[in-house]
Amino acid sequence: MPERELCVDTYFWHDLFPELFPLLILLLLSFQSLLTAHEDPSYKDIQVGVILDMESGAGKVIYHCITMAISDFYAANPDCKTRIVFMTSDTKGEPLHAVSAALDLLENTQVQAIIGPESTAQARFLEVLGDKTNIPILSLSTTPFSNRNPNLLGIAQDETSQFKGIAAMVELFKAKNVIVICEDTANGREMATYMAREFQEKNIHVTYTSLISTSDSNQQIREELHKLQTMQDMVFIMHTPPSLASNLFSMAKELGMMGEGYMWIVTSKTMDLLGSMDAEAIESMQGAVGFRSYFPSSKELHNFLLKWRKEHDALDPFMEVESNGIWAYDAVYALAMAVERVQTTSLLDEMLRFKFHGLGGEFEFMNGRSISKPMEVVNVIGKGDRSIGFWMMDTGEFVKEIEKPNSSSNQGLESIMWPGGTTTINPKRRMLQTNGNKKLRILFPGSSRFQNIAQISVDPRTNLSVVSGFCGDVFNAAFNSLDYGVGVEVVPFSSKDGITYNDVIQKIYLKEFDAAVGDFTITANRSLYVDFTLPFTDLGVGIISRNAKDSMWIFLDPLSANLWITTAFFFIFLGLVIWFIEHRTNEEFQGSAPQQLGTTLWFAFSTLVYAHREKLQSNLSRFVVTVWVFVVLVLTSSYTATLSSLLTVQQIGMKEMSIGFQGLSPVGVVYNKLNVVEAWSEKLYAPEDYAKALTTGRFDAIVAEILYMKTFLAMYSGADFSLIATAPTTNGFGFAFQKGSPLAREMSTQIAKMREDGTLKALEDKWLKRESALISKDFSSPTPKLLNLYGLRGLFLISGVSMVSALLVSIICLVREKWRMKDKMKIWRCVLHRSSEIHAHESDVESTV
């Protein structure tokens, strides 16, 4: 028995020895290398801190990669005088633990650099270290940081750099609206903000941002996806970790959101780890397009991956190398080279200057961050993915191959297999099929009395309703230019059936129909329930009236009574002033009293037509007449203009008022002797009603939307009716769509283009062209106003001041002249009196003698 047991043991060790022998050799070599390293004083240990969440899969991958980097570096460079020794701290996923570990390393060890952490929240906490240290901190966070700490170096690719490429892809496929799905964390919300900014630069609207937490139940996620499904935007941008993405795609497939017409674009947060996702998750992602980090093929990368699989497949076959691991490998490899060059002095400066070709391509820092590299664009097909191109961040364009960046045939992307198995996609078409509809269902007036505005007829070939008229043609032109690829189903409604325009708006609000097309006035109240396009008609209302009959006294109308009286007074006053100044010296203003009166009045009134012939001798008279002639010029010009307007259009004053149309008929408001009369009580719903109401003289004017006025004038002679005034009191007509519908915005853009290129004007001329040449071309010409004294009081003030001034100066001159004559007469009297006295004295002397 002992012999047999010994034999068995011998056979046992004989079979086991070949398997244990390599392990024993490895242990002996390792022990020898440790003894040699301990005894060799030429090696200098350089402590490097490692702060990672060692319990997470990412932390484990990164740690294995950096240990492989150290092993590979020193194996390739055995003569190095330094050896990096890792001082590892486990954060256990807590940001505060990361800060605590960093402070502990700085205070209690002699670390010359710190690697990690990979979490964004943990990396943000390291920024508060500030100037406490002058050693490089190699951050593995993919989010941008504020660079408040110049020692913080980002070795991972900035995940926001791919957002420009995603926005460019959405623009490439002509989608204008997207829905963003992010993880409900601080980082997720921040990334949603970055994405929205990039989309905004491309004029792409983020309709909704869905924030979903990894802790949400399946029911909560399903409800959120169902809400997204009811929206009309079918382009989804997903930025979530792989675990959440797997759950989202699985439920999206169950809800039918991975079918034809949908676009799913996934960021590198998920796509970099696509290989670690299970087959069921990949199956649910069929047709999705993703951006992932690109690592150019090289011998070094190939050998690294072989070594990784050899070492880890037996231990953990599901542990895949991710992008952070590659970047960490290159960063530690560069750190080892930098340490060997400068050891402990100026290590940070050396890292910032360092440049080499690593596993992930060119390794170089710019502004404290690893330089941006191309992103690979892949299409999830079958059990994996297929490369369809690259996003070149430096040029901002897509290429099919990196090796041919300047080739025109290399521009763009390869064909994409979208969800549902289609190679083409029309997001606009899918928007209209959200509720299972294959056509756009619109409500249209079926019995409009204004046929030029809205007509509906049946196509005999298809037996379908088609719309025309001005409103119908504007809608057809705008919608067809959008190229949605879907038909339009026209459902007529009639006011005769008791359906009001507000009822139609209510049906759109309840999503019974997609849109309402016709003469729908845009109002604030209606805008609470639907989204209107830009107005495609003139804004406001117009007043239309019957043209005035000819009057023999119409020539008196341009001037008000007080202006007529004032003008006549000034004519007479002018004559009196000129007579007073001129009659003493000017023979033409002398003669008998009747002659002087006739000359004065003739001169004054002849200035009206500049026919005065009397020569003026006084400069004062000339000054007064010059000023007066200017006044006459202004008066006659204004009179002529106003009389011309009065002869064209009957003068009706339009009072300023606030008109609300929410509770009124959309046809308009009737004024009876300028008093408001309810339009519906008069049943003025047709042009014939308008003409009858004005022709009979029962109503003075009709107020309605300008488009109705134009239609009316196109049907009736301009010799009988005229649009005499407008007021911007309404917002015009617009097409109504469901709340949140992107169609309202895109149709508005087309309407704006049609207005700019003249299409709207051409359609208006087609349907609303007036038949009478007597109608003014300017629909919105202002109502002529009577000239009154208040408006021209400045002219009369200037003229009156000139006349009074001249009169006063003339009176002063006359008084001075009279005074001087009086003095002269007094002197002459004195001289004569003295002469008489002398003559008498001489006579007395002679008598005495």
Side-chain angles (χ1 to χ4, degrees):
M1 219 29 209
E3 255 183 28
R4 183 167 185 160
E5 289 177 0
L6 179 60
C7 183
V8 171
D9 290 343
T10 302
Y11 282 115
F12 173 78
W13 286 107
H14 181 270
D15 293 337
L16 189 62
F17 183 76
E19 297 181 5
L20 293 178
F21 181 75
L23 182 60
L24 292 174
I25 296 298
L26 181 62
L27 289 174
L28 290 174
L29 291 174
S30 300
F31 181 71
Q32 182 182 4
S33 62
L34 288 174
L35 290 177
T36 304
H38 179 71
E39 294 174 358
D40 192 346
S42 62
Y43 291 126
K44 180 179 180 180
D45 290 339
I46 304 296
Q47 295 181 350
V48 174
V50 177
I51 303 175
L52 294 171
D53 180 7
M54 302 304 296
E55 297 180 0
S56 67
K60 293 177 181 178
V61 169
I62 292 171
Y63 185 75
H64 284 295
C65 286
I66 62 177
T67 55
M68 288 177 66
I70 291 297
S71 175
D72 292 346
F73 177 78
Y74 291 121
N77 302 277
D79 298 330
C80 288
K81 303 300 182 181
T82 58
R83 288 291 186 273
I84 289 179
V85 179
F86 290 137
M87 311 294 291
T88 306
S89 295
D90 186 2
T91 66
K92 301 185 184 301
E94 295 293 333
L96 292 178
H97 287 180
V99 177
S100 175
L103 292 175
D104 181 64
L105 289 172
L106 294 173
E107 294 174 358
N108 301 323
T109 66
Q110 295 181 349
V111 292
Q112 303 303 315
I114 295 177
I115 301 173
E118 76 281 7
S119 166
T120 298
Q122 296 173 17
R124 289 287 170 83
F125 272 95
L126 293 186
E127 289 190 66
V128 304
L129 293 179
D131 298 327
K132 289 182 178 294
T133 177
N134 194 34
I135 66 173
I137 301 176
L138 307 180
S139 172
L140 290 160
S141 172
T142 57
T143 58
F145 42 80
S146 63
N147 270 344
R148 287 180 297 181
N149 184 351
N151 306 318
L152 190 62
L153 305 180
I155 61 175
Q157 184 86 5
D158 186 350
E159 63 184 332
T160 63
S161 59
Q162 65 187 304
F163 297 159
K164 286 185 180 293
I166 293 174
M169 174 174 282
V170 174
E171 183 184 40
L172 181 65
F173 290 98
K174 300 180 180 180
K176 295 297 183 181
N177 307 281
V178 298
I179 294 175
V180 175
I181 303 175
C182 290
E183 185 182 7
D184 191 9
T185 60
N187 174 254
R189 290 186 287 272
E190 183 181 12
M191 293 302 103
T193 302
Y194 277 105
M195 276 192 277
R197 190 178 304 161
E198 296 297 338
F199 287 129
Q200 186 177 8
E201 290 185 2
K202 296 288 187 180
N203 292 323
I204 299 171
H205 178 63
V206 179
T207 305
Y208 181 73
T209 299
S210 176
L211 298 174
I212 302 177
S213 174
T214 53
S215 61
D216 288 346
S217 64
N218 289 344
Q219 181 61 27
Q220 289 175 310
I221 296 176
R222 187 175 286 103
E223 290 176 358
E224 180 69 11
L225 287 176
H226 182 71
K227 181 170 69 174
L228 302 183
Q229 188 180 27
T230 60
M231 299 180 181
Q232 293 183 326
D233 300 309
M234 312 314 298
V235 181
F236 297 91
I237 314 298
M238 181 179 290
H239 184 72
T240 62
S243 58
L244 182 56
S246 299
N247 204 8
L248 282 169
F249 275 115
S250 178
M251 294 186 184
K253 184 178 180 181
E254 292 178 8
L255 294 173
M257 298 175 68
M258 295 302 295
E260 180 183 355
Y262 286 92
M263 287 180 62
W264 289 85
I265 302 177
V266 189
T267 66
S268 60
K269 196 177 185 73
T270 295
M271 298 306 296
D272 280 353
L273 297 173
L274 184 67
S276 63
M277 298 172 68
D278 57 43
E280 184 180 353
I282 295 177
E283 174 64 25
S284 66
M285 294 176 62
Q286 295 296 300
V289 174
F291 284 65
R292 74 179 177 193
S293 303
Y294 171 67
F295 302 109
S297 299
S298 65
K299 181 180 179 181
E300 293 79 7
L301 180 61
H302 178 72
N303 293 337
F304 171 80
L305 294 177
L306 287 178
K307 184 178 180 181
W308 176 274
R309 295 190 184 99
K310 183 177 180 181
E311 292 183 2
H312 296 91
D313 280 358
L315 299 175
D316 188 354
F318 297 103
M319 182 181 291
E320 292 283 344
V321 180
E322 58 182 72
S323 55
N324 262 356
I326 302 293
W327 294 324
Y329 181 98
D330 285 347
V332 170
Y333 206 95
L335 180 64
M337 287 190 286
V339 165
E340 183 63 22
R341 289 183 183 181
V342 300
Q343 297 190 9
T344 61
T345 59
S346 303
L347 183 57
L348 177 62
D349 295 336
E350 182 65 22
M351 286 295 295
L352 290 174
R353 292 193 301 264
F354 208 82
K355 179 180 179 180
F356 83 107
H357 189 84
L359 298 182
E362 291 297 324
F363 183 89
E364 181 182 2
F365 287 108
M366 181 177 294
N367 298 324
R369 184 119 213 172
S370 177
I371 59 172
S372 297
K373 302 176 180 66
M375 298 287 292
E376 187 176 13
V377 185
V378 298
N379 189 193
V380 180
I381 300 176
K383 297 181 180 180
D385 56 67
R386 177 177 66 92
S387 178
I388 57 175
F390 300 88
W391 168 249
M392 308 301 293
M393 296 187 185
D394 52 348
T395 61
E397 60 182 8
F398 290 102
V399 297
K400 297 175 184 177
E401 297 180 28
I402 291 183
E403 291 77 11
K404 304 175 183 178
N406 298 322
S407 172
S408 58
S409 61
N410 193 42
Q411 302 298 311
L413 296 169
E414 300 285 357
S415 62
I416 300 175
M417 185 68 71
W418 295 104
T422 62
T423 56
T424 59
I425 191 166
N426 188 343
K428 295 179 179 179
R429 180 180 182 182
R430 183 61 199 172
M431 284 191 296
L432 304 180
Q433 298 177 353
T434 305
N435 297 322
N437 299 329
K438 298 299 181 182
K439 292 184 177 181
L440 182 74
R441 302 182 70 230
I442 66 170
L443 285 167
F444 192 84
S447 59
S448 175
R449 302 289 292 275
F450 285 83
Q451 292 295 304
N452 289 18
I453 294 180
Q455 289 185 24
I456 189 168
S457 57
V458 177
D459 188 340
R461 294 174 300 175
T462 61
N463 201 32
L464 297 175
S465 297
V466 292
V467 298
S468 58
F470 177 67
C471 294
D473 280 4
V474 171
F475 173 80
N476 290 334
F479 185 75
N480 291 338
S481 63
L482 293 178
D483 190 25
Y484 269 69
V486 298
V488 177
E489 179 183 350
V490 181
V491 180
F493 72 91
S494 175
S495 57
K496 297 179 181 179
D497 299 331
I499 301 177
T500 66
Y501 278 49
N502 285 337
D503 293 336
V504 173
I505 296 298
Q506 184 70 11
K507 290 180 181 294
I508 304 301
Y509 172 70
L510 297 176
K511 298 185 177 181
E512 297 179 16
F513 296 89
D514 297 309
V517 176
D519 49 343
F520 287 86
T521 302
I522 301 172
T523 67
N525 185 59
R526 289 174 177 176
S527 297
L528 297 174
Y529 304 97
V530 296
D531 284 344
F532 281 102
T533 63
L534 287 176
F536 55 88
T537 64
D538 296 326
L539 304 186
V541 296
I543 295 181
I544 196 170
S545 69
R546 188 180 181 186
N547 291 339
K549 295 181 179 180
D550 295 337
S551 171
M552 63 182 295
W553 303 108
I554 193 172
F555 70 91
L556 294 176
D557 290 344
L559 305 185
S560 62
N562 58 1
L563 186 56
W564 277 116
I565 296 172
T566 303
T567 304
F569 170 78
F570 267 78
F571 272 114
I572 296 172
F573 186 54
L574 172 71
L576 292 176
V577 171
I578 298 302
W579 172 83
F580 184 82
I581 297 173
E582 295 286 334
H583 83 281
R584 289 178 292 106
T585 58
N586 194 334
E587 294 181 356
E588 294 190 29
F589 288 89
Q590 295 176 358
S592 62
Q595 287 179 336
Q596 294 185 41
L597 179 61
T599 301
T600 300
L601 293 178
W602 160 255
F603 178 85
F605 285 99
S606 65
T607 58
L608 180 63
V609 290
Y610 316 110
H612 48 285
R613 298 179 180 275
E614 291 76 12
K615 294 183 179 180
L616 303 178
Q617 298 179 357
S618 173
N619 288 333
L620 289 175
S621 300
R622 293 167 183 164
F623 169 70
V624 171
V625 171
T626 301
V627 175
W628 176 248
V629 168
F630 172 73
V631 175
V632 170
L633 175 64
V634 175
L635 278 173
T636 54
S637 300
S638 302
Y639 174 87
T640 303
T642 306
L643 181 60
S644 299
S645 300
L646 289 175
L647 291 174
T648 304
V649 180
Q650 180 187 14
Q651 168 66 15
I652 294 181
M654 182 175 181
K655 299 180 180 179
E656 294 183 1
M657 59 188 307
S658 176
I659 302 175
F661 289 93
Q662 292 89 338
L664 298 177
S665 164
V667 176
V669 177
V670 179
Y671 282 5
N672 180 20
K673 301 303 180 182
L674 300 183
N675 294 322
V676 178
V677 177
E678 293 179 347
W680 56 81
S681 64
E682 301 296 331
K683 299 185 182 301
L684 298 178
Y685 293 100
E688 297 80 6
D689 299 334
Y690 287 9
K692 184 177 180 180
L694 293 174
T695 304
T696 58
R698 182 178 180 185
F699 303 104
D700 292 322
I702 296 176
V703 179
E705 293 274 3
I706 292 179
L707 193 62
Y708 294 124
M709 301 289 94
K710 290 184 177 182
T711 304
F712 176 76
L713 291 175
M715 300 174 64
Y716 291 90
S717 172
D720 297 327
F721 307 100
S722 297
L723 180 66
I724 61 172
T726 62
T729 54
T730 62
N731 300 312
F733 294 160
F735 304 132
F737 292 90
Q738 295 176 6
K739 269 291 185 183
S741 171
L743 270 172
R745 183 170 54 257
E746 296 193 11
M747 288 286 285
S748 294
T749 302
Q750 293 303 318
I751 290 173
K753 291 181 180 178
M754 292 168 61
R755 190 181 298 279
E756 293 171 1
D757 62 22
T759 304
L760 273 182
K761 182 64 170 60
L763 292 177
E764 183 176 316
D765 290 342
K766 172 185 176 182
W767 291 101
L768 308 177
K769 187 176 181 180
R770 288 150 289 171
E771 300 173 357
S772 174
L774 298 177
I775 302 177
S776 171
K777 292 184 179 180
D778 185 7
F779 270 100
S780 58
S781 58
T783 303
K785 296 181 179 180
L786 293 180
L787 299 175
N788 53 47
L789 178 61
Y790 184 82
L792 299 176
R793 65 190 186 278
L795 287 174
F796 288 102
L797 178 62
I798 295 172
S799 180
V801 170
S802 67
M803 292 181 187
V804 172
S805 300
L807 184 61
L808 290 176
V809 172
S810 179
I811 292 174
I812 292 173
C813 292
L814 180 61
V815 170
R816 288 183 60 189
E817 185 178 350
K818 292 291 185 180
W819 186 264
R820 292 173 62 183
M821 288 297 296
K822 184 178 180 181
D823 289 344
K824 289 181 179 180
M825 290 300 295
K826 185 177 181 180
I827 293 172
W828 278 108
R829 287 193 188 97
C830 291
V831 171
L832 292 175
H833 179 69
R834 184 62 178 168
S835 177
S836 299
E837 288 179 353
I838 294 173
H839 182 72
H841 179 69
E842 290 179 351
S843 297
D844 291 341
V845 171
E846 288 179 358
S847 299
T848 304
V849 175

